């Protein structure tokens, strides 16, 4: 039987609904009370370094998770790691850990859309699924995975797509890495593994701007006075911006602020194709970096990691384009 370390961080999976239907935090994590079921799948040790809803999660919390995992990975006493987490920022924690940690053992993150005492609660089921994946020999060398609703996803591609549906986690463009059936864990694909870097500096200021029809220069004018360390723009379509925002953007370009473009479209990747004013071709000529298929919050984490580890412009560009 495999020996796993479980790290509970809070979120709906650890919460309950009260009599007035409000979802509230518990002092004792209800998921831990199911020892008899859990021990059928793995030998599990548990830690609860914090018990917070995932909108309260910060870079420092994720860095603490990284330190815990690396500390125990060094002791080689565990075959894998499972993290329980709120779903709102789960994909960000998963991806940031993926960028910061390079170990062979499985790291699996899960959560729940329904709190522990709701009808059809999915927490225990997802938790056991995560334990099953983390215990599977085929889960080695797959980077950080998200297991939810009988599917296995890569941290890089997964995103929360629905506010309340239990099938919320999906991987646009890619589909799941694998599935769980009642009796087996089946991987369909091999993940694309990115280079990882050890450091993260939580004091860097990298805002995320979403483009829309008629976006003005104001937001970029403002950021050009803030000493920002980088900017992520969720651009239109394949990576285009309205001409009305270009004056402000030019100031940031002149300040040599690294600017990374992703698309506000749910599927597809950005490409520097269009040659009209504000089109991707022009933006690339001015030095904007086109990301290879990340969403805005994840591109922000990747730029944070890039800058925290001292990558220069060309290295950041290569990292994003790879
Ligand atoms: N708001 C909750 C959280 O992220 C949602 C969840 O856990 O599903 O903590």
């Amino acid at each position: 039987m495999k020996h796993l370390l479980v790290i509970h961080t809070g979120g709906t999976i650890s919460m309950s609904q009260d009599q007035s239907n409000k979802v509230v935090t518990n002092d004792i994590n209800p998921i831990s009370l199911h020892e008899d079921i859990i021990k059928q799948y793995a030998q599990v040790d548990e830690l609860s370094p914090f018990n917070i809803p995932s909108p309260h999660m910060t870079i420092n919390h994720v860095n603490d998770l990284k330190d815990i995992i690396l500390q125990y990975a060094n002791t080689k006493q565990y075959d894998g790691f499972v993290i329980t987490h709120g779903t709102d920022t789960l994909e960000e924690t998963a991806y940031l850990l993926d960028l910061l940690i390079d170990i062979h053992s499985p790291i699996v993150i899960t959560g729940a859309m329904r709190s522990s005492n709701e009808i059809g609660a999915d927490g225990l089921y997802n938790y056991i699924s995560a334990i099953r994946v983390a215990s599977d020999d085929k889960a080695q060398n797959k980077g950080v995975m998200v297991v939810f609703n009988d599917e296995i996803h890569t941290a890089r591609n997964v995103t929360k797509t629905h506010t309340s549906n239990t099938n919320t986690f999906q991987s646009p463009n890619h589909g799941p890495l694998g599935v769980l059936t009642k009796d087996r864990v089946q991987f369909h694909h091999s993940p694309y593994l990115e280079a990882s870097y050890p450091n993260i500096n939580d004091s860097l200021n990298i805002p995320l701007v979403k483009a829309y029809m008629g976006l003005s220069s104001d937001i970029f004018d403002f950021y050009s006075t803030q000493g920002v360390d980088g900017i992520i723009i969720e651009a239109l379509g394949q990576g285009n911006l309205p001409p009305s925002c270009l004056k402000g953007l030019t100031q940031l370009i002149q300040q040599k602020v690294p600017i990374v473009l992703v698309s506000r479209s749910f599927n597809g990747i950005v490409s520097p194709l269009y040659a009209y004013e504000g089109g991707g071709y022009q933006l690339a000529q001015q030095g904007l970096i086109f990301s290879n298929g990340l969403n805005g919050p994840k591109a922000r984490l990747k730029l944070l990691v890039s800058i925290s580890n001292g990558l220069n412009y060309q290295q950041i560009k290569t990292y994003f384009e790879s």
Side-chain angles (χ1 to χ4, degrees), residues 234-261:
E234 283 189 16
L236 308 173
Q238 292 202 52
N240 310 305
L241 289 172
S244 44
C245 74
L246 297 179
K247 197 165 135 294
L249 188 67
T250 303
Q251 294 183 66
L252 289 160
I253 294 168
Q254 285 166 352
Q255 291 173 5
K256 302 213 176 314
V257 172
I259 305 172
V260 176
L261 281 193

Side-chain angles (χ1 to χ4, degrees), residues 1-17:
M1 184 165 275
K2 295 284 177 75
H3 192 189
L4 305 180
L5 180 66
V6 174
I7 309 169
H8 297 293
T9 69
T12 298
I13 191 166
S14 66
M15 297 179 185
S16 305
Q17 204 167 49

Side-chain angles (χ1 to χ4, degrees), residues 2 4-5 7 65 69 79-86 89-111 126-127 129-159 169-171 175-180 185-194 298:
K2 295 284 177 75
L4 305 180
L5 180 66
I7 309 169
L65 292 177
I69 291 170
D79 300 298
F81 300 87
V82 170
I83 300 171
T84 66
H85 197 288
T89 62
L90 187 151
E91 67 196 78
E92 285 167 82
T93 294
Y95 187 55
L96 185 51
L97 289 175
D98 203 37
L99 292 174
L100 294 173
I101 297 179
D102 184 16
I103 60 172
H104 303 301
S105 315
I107 303 172
V108 180
I109 308 195
T110 194
N126 285 336
Y127 182 47
S129 299
I131 287 172
R132 287 176 59 203
V133 172
S135 303
D136 195 285
D137 290 335
K138 299 185 295 297
Q140 299 266 335
N141 299 312
K142 296 267 192 296
V144 176
M145 290 168 278
V146 172
V147 168
F148 223 93
N149 201 39
D150 281 337
E151 291 181 343
I152 310 162
H153 296 265
T154 60
R156 179 186 162 96
N157 295 317
V158 76
T159 193
F169 282 100
Q170 295 180 18
S171 297
L177 191 60
V179 294
L180 293 104
V185 171
Q186 168 109 36
F187 286 94
H188 298 316
H189 309 290
S190 294
Y192 161 75
L193 297 174
E194 291 175 273
K298 288 190 195 176

